[in-house]
């Protein structure tokens, strides 16, 4: 009764179902009271936000329960693996705020896996098959009909051992021989129908060189590595639910093998599955992301429109905002499509606390304050972050000629327009109240575009003076001194895809038009996903911030200092707007 009450109390605290299972295992004394997890990425691409969900879980539960989490690279496919990916994965995990206990590679276990496979052959639980992949697939049967035994299923053990050794000789051609586990060709779970556990590749490995020409398959490798490392909780996504019985069987066989050798370990990995992170307006398949990069549809893996962690970092998402987003959506046993707006909301919530407030004008038009002395300038105080007093202040120079946003002025004001117009007053942030001249409000060029706006200021209304309390109907506008502002490049990023579910949309296009994936991608890429503005201005304080600094361009949105930025040529990337909209909205 007491134990049941404890479980119910934990549920009331809001533990997810995985944490509830872990706490129950601890209560039951499983695995000697240890919690050990692992994060097992394939080093064949850059991590994306979906991986961040797994990282937060694997490392998070280990941290929460005083356990350990190892980083283990699943490097069983040398055709796609590169050192570049390994380095980027390590960087991304640390950026998210996590640290591993040890770094392992599946290749660390190649010899032990090989010896285990030899033992399986000797036990009559594995055999070498000479059929083609197509023949093996045909013999597998269907979900409603049993498979057919391979003609090589009962070949002599010594013959399979000789052929298995030949598979790794470098003389055997890929596709001519495979090692299969001998389980049950009539099993209702198709994965049990004599699965492949080794195949020939004849490709050097980035860590083991030419030592191996035959490589283990994922299902054969994964559980064994978990067991050998001492993993207690193997956490993976829902597509592995059907793989769990095979995972358990291979672990049982490995324990039997180790027991015979006198090396039995006191742990039993438990696989638990959770839902993937699916995000609207996003493609997260590594295959598709690689195609985007290779076809030049984006500038690289760290393009700010990509869902990769390196892309999100360059875009200006903080690691804390990503973890907060993951906490909000949680972990369940059913798949769902999460709205991009929820991720953007998490970014705004977090960046509001950490971003420095600066002035930037993206579409500038000049304002001349006619009654302000031409040779005068003032350094006015600006708060760096009203949410965090410790961030301090900086100064912004005020002068006679200013830049403001073009859409902050209307020559013929709409009824609800509360910004600058003939005869209207507005307040300039941290500065004065100004009033637009009625007799001669502006100059225009030949095309009718406003080039200069004329105003007068009230010298008694500077921020901090008693006159600053004077009430006006107009909004508070941001501004820059023309003489002191720094020209900048601003990159406005938006969602890469026009379709909320681009994967399904791509599939529909491919089926209708019989085209490849890249052509389908081209048809649903958002042409407005990147707009580069080169005639923007920022205050010098913003231009001198280091790369990847978090900034709020006041009244516009959150921005990040691009790694390519320099003080003389500053470059800023838009993270998200201040409001939940595809378009910039301001009152």
């Amino acid at each position: 009764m007491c134990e049941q009450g404890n479980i119910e109390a934990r549920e009331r605290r809001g533990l997810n179902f995985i944490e509830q299972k872990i706490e129950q295992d601890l209560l039951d004394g499983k695995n000697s009271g240890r919690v050990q997890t692992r994060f097992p990425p394939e080093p064949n691409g850059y991590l994306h936000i979906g991986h961040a969900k797994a990282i937060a879980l694997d490392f998070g539960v280990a941290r929460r329960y005083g356990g350990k989490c190892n980083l283990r690279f699943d490097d069983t496919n040398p055709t796609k693996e590169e050192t570049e990916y390994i380095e980027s994965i390590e960087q991304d995990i640390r950026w998210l705020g996590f640290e591993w206990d040890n770094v392992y590679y599946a290749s660390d276990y190649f010899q032990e896996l090989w010896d285990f496979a030899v033992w399986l052959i000797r036990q009559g639980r594995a055999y070498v098959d000479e059929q083609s992949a197509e023949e093996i697939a045909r013999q597998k049967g269907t979900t409603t009909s049993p498979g057919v035994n391979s003609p090589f299923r009962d070949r002599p053990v010594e013959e399979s051992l000789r052929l298995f050794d030949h598979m790794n000789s470098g003389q055997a051609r890929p596709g001519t021989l495979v090692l299969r586990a001998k389980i049950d060709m009539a099993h209702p779970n198709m994965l049990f129908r004599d699965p492949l556990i080794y195949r020939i590749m004849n490709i050097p490995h980035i860590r083991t060189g030419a030592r191996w020409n035959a490589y283990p398959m994922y299902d054969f490798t994964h559980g064994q590595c978990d067991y050998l490392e001492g993993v207690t909780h193997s956490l993976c996504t829902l597509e592995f639910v059907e793989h769990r019985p095979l995972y358990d069987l291979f672990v049982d066989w490995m324990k039997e093998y180790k027991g015979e050798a006198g090396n039995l370990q006191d742990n039993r990995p438990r696989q638990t599955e959770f839902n993937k992170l699916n995000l609207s307006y996003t493609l997260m398949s590594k295959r598709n992301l690689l195609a985007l990069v290779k076809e030049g549809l984006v500038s690289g893996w760290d393009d700010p429109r990509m869902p990769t962690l390196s892309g999100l970092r360059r875009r200006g998402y903080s690691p804390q905002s990503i973890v907060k987003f993951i906490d909000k959506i949680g972990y369940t046993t059913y798949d769902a499509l999460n709205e991009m707006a929820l991720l953007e909301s998490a970014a705004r919530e977090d960046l509001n606390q950490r971003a420095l407030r600066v002035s930037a004008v993206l579409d500038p038009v000049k304002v001349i304050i006619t009654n302000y002395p031409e040779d005068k300038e003032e350094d006015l105080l600006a708060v760096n972050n009203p949410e965090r007093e410790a961030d301090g202040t900086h100064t912004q120079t005020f002068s006679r000629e200013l830049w403001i946003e073009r859409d902050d002025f209307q020559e013929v004001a709409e009824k609800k327009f509360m910004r600058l117009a003939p005869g209207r007053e507005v307040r300039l942030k941290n500065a004065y109240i100004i009033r637009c001249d009625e007799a001669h409000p502006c100059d225009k060029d030949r095309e009718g575009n406003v080039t200069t706006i004329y105003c007068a200021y009230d010298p008694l209304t500077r921020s901090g003076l008693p006159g600053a309390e004077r009430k006006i109907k107009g909004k508070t506008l941001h501004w820059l001194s023309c003489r002191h502002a720094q020209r900048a490049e601003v990159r406005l990023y938006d969602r890469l895809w026009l379709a909320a579910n681009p994967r399904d949309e791509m599939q529909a296009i491919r089926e209708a038009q019989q085209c490849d994936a890249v052509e389908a991608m081209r048809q649903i890429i958002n042409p407005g996903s990147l707009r580069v503005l080169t005639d923007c201005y920022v205050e010098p304080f913003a231009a001198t911030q280091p790369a990847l600094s978090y900034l709020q361009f006041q009244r516009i949105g959150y921005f990040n200092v691009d790694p390519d930025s320099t003080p003389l040529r500053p470059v800023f990337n838009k993270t998200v707007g201040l409001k939940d909209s595809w378009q910039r909205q301001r009152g």
Side-chain angles (χ1 to χ4, degrees):
M1 181 70 180
C2 180
E3 182 174 312
Q4 179 64 30
N6 287 337
I7 293 174
E8 290 173 355
R10 289 195 300 277
E11 291 175 344
R12 285 196 298 272
R13 291 205 307 270
L15 297 177
N16 63 49
F17 77 99
I18 295 172
E19 292 167 335
Q20 292 172 25
K21 287 184 178 182
I22 290 174
E23 291 206 0
Q24 189 63 60
D25 287 347
L26 292 173
L27 282 174
D28 295 341
K30 291 184 179 179
N31 299 300
S32 303
R34 292 188 309 108
V35 173
Q36 181 172 327
T37 59
R38 79 293 169 268
F39 175 61
E42 297 176 75
N44 60 2
Y46 282 63
L47 297 184
H48 53 62
I49 193 170
H51 294 111
K53 184 175 183 180
I55 291 169
L57 181 62
D58 289 329
F59 287 92
V61 297
R63 178 187 291 174
R64 190 169 301 120
Y65 295 105
K68 63 164 56 175
C69 180
N70 294 325
L71 170 60
R72 184 177 74 234
F73 291 100
D74 175 28
D75 57 344
T76 56
N77 187 353
T79 60
K80 300 179 180 179
E81 294 154 4
E82 296 181 18
T83 302
E84 171 192 354
Y85 298 139
I86 292 174
E87 293 172 350
S88 74
I89 288 169
E90 292 180 344
Q91 179 186 10
D92 287 344
I93 294 171
R94 287 194 170 110
W95 177 70
L96 281 175
F98 300 101
E99 188 63 56
W100 48 88
D101 286 86
N102 300 285
V103 176
Y104 294 118
Y105 296 80
S107 55
D108 293 337
Y109 304 98
F110 279 176
Q111 185 62 59
E112 186 131 28
L113 291 169
W114 182 270
D115 295 341
F116 176 44
V118 168
W119 180 82
L120 290 176
I121 295 172
R122 293 190 185 281
Q123 291 283 314
R125 301 182 195 179
Y127 62 96
V128 173
D129 198 330
E130 297 181 43
Q131 298 180 101
S132 68
E134 292 74 20
E135 289 173 314
I136 292 173
R138 282 196 297 270
Q139 291 172 354
K140 283 267 188 174
T142 68
T143 55
T144 57
S145 62
V148 177
N149 287 348
S150 164
F152 301 100
R153 196 173 197 262
D154 297 317
R155 75 187 325 157
V157 166
E158 293 304 320
E159 187 177 345
S160 277
L161 288 172
R162 177 181 60 79
L163 290 173
F164 188 44
D165 194 57
H166 180 59
M167 285 174 62
N168 197 46
S169 67
Q171 304 303 311
R173 289 184 295 106
T176 58
L177 299 168
V178 293
L179 183 67
R180 298 176 69 180
K182 187 188 293 186
I183 306 179
D184 182 0
M185 290 299 291
H187 200 285
N189 185 333
M190 298 281 288
L191 296 171
F192 274 68
R193 297 184 185 181
D194 292 9
L196 274 62
I197 58 178
Y198 265 88
R199 80 288 204 196
I200 302 166
M201 300 190 77
N202 292 344
I203 296 172
H205 191 281
I206 59 174
R207 296 189 72 246
T208 61
R211 170 70 182 85
W212 300 100
N213 292 289
Y215 291 91
M217 303 294 288
Y218 177 84
D219 276 340
F220 184 68
T221 305
H222 188 60
Q224 321 320 319
C225 291
D226 282 349
Y227 171 73
L228 293 170
E229 284 176 18
V231 168
T232 61
H233 295 84
S234 174
L235 309 177
C236 54
T237 45
L238 289 176
E239 70 263 33
F240 291 100
V241 169
E242 290 188 352
H243 295 248
R244 191 200 313 153
L246 186 61
Y247 174 99
D248 289 339
L249 177 63
F250 281 152
V251 169
D252 288 340
W253 284 2
M254 172 61 84
K255 291 189 71 172
E256 184 181 342
Y257 164 65
K258 299 295 283 187
E260 282 192 12
N263 296 320
L264 187 63
Q265 296 176 192
D266 182 25
N267 71 287
R268 183 62 170 82
R270 175 181 182 174
Q271 178 172 305
T272 304
E273 305 85 12
F274 60 92
N275 61 326
K276 276 186 173 182
L277 195 166
N278 297 308
L279 196 60
S280 64
Y281 298 97
T282 307
L283 274 179
M284 283 191 281
S285 157
K286 280 187 181 178
R287 181 178 64 257
N288 289 326
L289 296 182
L290 181 61
L292 285 170
V293 173
K294 287 193 170 182
E295 294 295 324
L297 300 177
V298 294
S299 62
W301 286 100
D302 66 344
D303 188 304
R305 294 168 293 178
M306 292 277 272
T308 55
L309 294 181
S310 56
L312 290 166
R313 179 166 57 245
R314 190 170 186 176
R315 174 84 170 253
Y317 281 84
S318 66
Q320 295 86 350
S321 68
I322 292 173
V323 173
K324 283 181 181 178
F325 167 65
I326 291 167
D327 287 342
K328 284 184 177 181
I329 62 175
Y331 298 86
T332 68
T333 55
Y334 55 89
D335 278 323
L337 184 65
N338 298 287
E339 290 298 325
M340 173 66 78
L342 187 58
L343 173 61
E344 294 170 342
S345 174
R348 290 186 193 93
E349 182 181 334
D350 182 75
L351 292 174
N352 183 56
Q353 301 295 317
R354 71 181 66 253
L356 299 179
R357 274 54 167 180
V358 298
S359 290
V361 177
L362 306 192
D363 186 12
V365 64
K366 183 178 289 188
V367 169
I368 295 179
I369 303 176
T370 55
N371 63 334
Y372 194 89
E374 292 188 27
D375 57 351
K376 182 180 178 180
E377 58 185 47
E378 298 174 73
D379 287 334
L380 304 179
L381 196 65
V383 175
N384 287 339
N385 186 347
E387 305 295 327
R388 199 160 57 183
E389 186 177 349
D391 284 345
T393 60
H394 70 279
T395 58
Q396 183 179 351
T397 304
F398 187 85
S399 65
R400 176 185 171 88
E401 296 187 2
L402 307 176
W403 296 119
I404 67 167
E405 293 287 354
R406 183 171 297 277
D407 64 3
D408 278 337
F409 172 78
Q410 286 186 1
E411 187 178 9
V412 179
E414 298 167 358
K415 185 176 181 180
K416 294 184 178 181
F417 188 73
M418 301 299 290
R419 287 167 271 165
L420 201 59
R424 300 271 186 95
E425 288 184 316
V426 297
R427 188 182 304 277
L428 298 180
K429 179 73 172 176
N430 300 319
Y432 298 94
I433 292 174
I434 62 172
R435 182 177 185 277
C436 183
D437 188 76
E438 285 186 279
H440 181 57
C442 62
D443 292 336
K444 300 179 184 178
D445 61 19
R446 291 179 180 178
E447 286 75 37
N449 300 309
V450 174
T451 58
T452 307
I453 303 164
Y454 296 96
C455 297
Y457 86 118
D458 182 344
L460 301 178
T461 59
R462 193 184 72 188
S463 181
L465 295 178
E469 301 301 319
R470 179 159 71 83
K471 302 297 183 183
I472 62 172
K473 292 183 178 181
K475 296 285 188 179
T476 298
L477 308 185
H478 63 282
W479 53 273
L480 291 168
S481 167
C482 295
R483 193 186 310 162
H484 303 89
Q486 171 73 55
R487 187 183 290 270
E489 178 178 307
V490 175
R491 300 168 183 171
L492 302 179
Y493 290 100
D494 218 321
R495 301 171 192 184
L496 184 58
W497 305 102
L498 293 171
N501 193 331
R503 183 180 64 181
D504 289 354
E505 188 71 19
M506 279 177 57
Q507 184 63 31
I509 292 172
R510 294 188 67 181
E511 291 175 358
Q513 302 181 15
Q514 295 298 300
C515 62
D516 62 17
V518 174
E519 176 55 34
M521 284 181 185
R522 292 183 191 278
Q523 296 185 42
I524 58 172
I525 282 183
N526 176 13
S529 63
L530 170 60
R531 190 156 57 99
V532 179
L533 308 179
T534 57
D535 292 322
C536 305
Y537 291 95
V538 298
E539 58 177 295
F541 177 71
T544 57
Q545 296 305 303
L548 303 182
S549 293
Y550 304 113
L551 305 175
Q552 185 196 100
F553 286 2
Q554 296 190 86
R555 302 177 61 243
I556 300 174
Y558 293 100
F559 289 75
N560 195 46
V561 182
D562 190 82
D564 292 341
S565 183
T566 67
L568 295 179
R569 185 185 172 277
V571 179
F572 303 92
N573 299 321
K574 180 184 177 183
T575 309
V576 289
L578 294 179
K579 295 186 179 181
D580 185 8
S581 171
W582 280 42
Q583 303 295 327
R584 176 183 170 212
Q585 295 179 1
R586 291 192 284 107

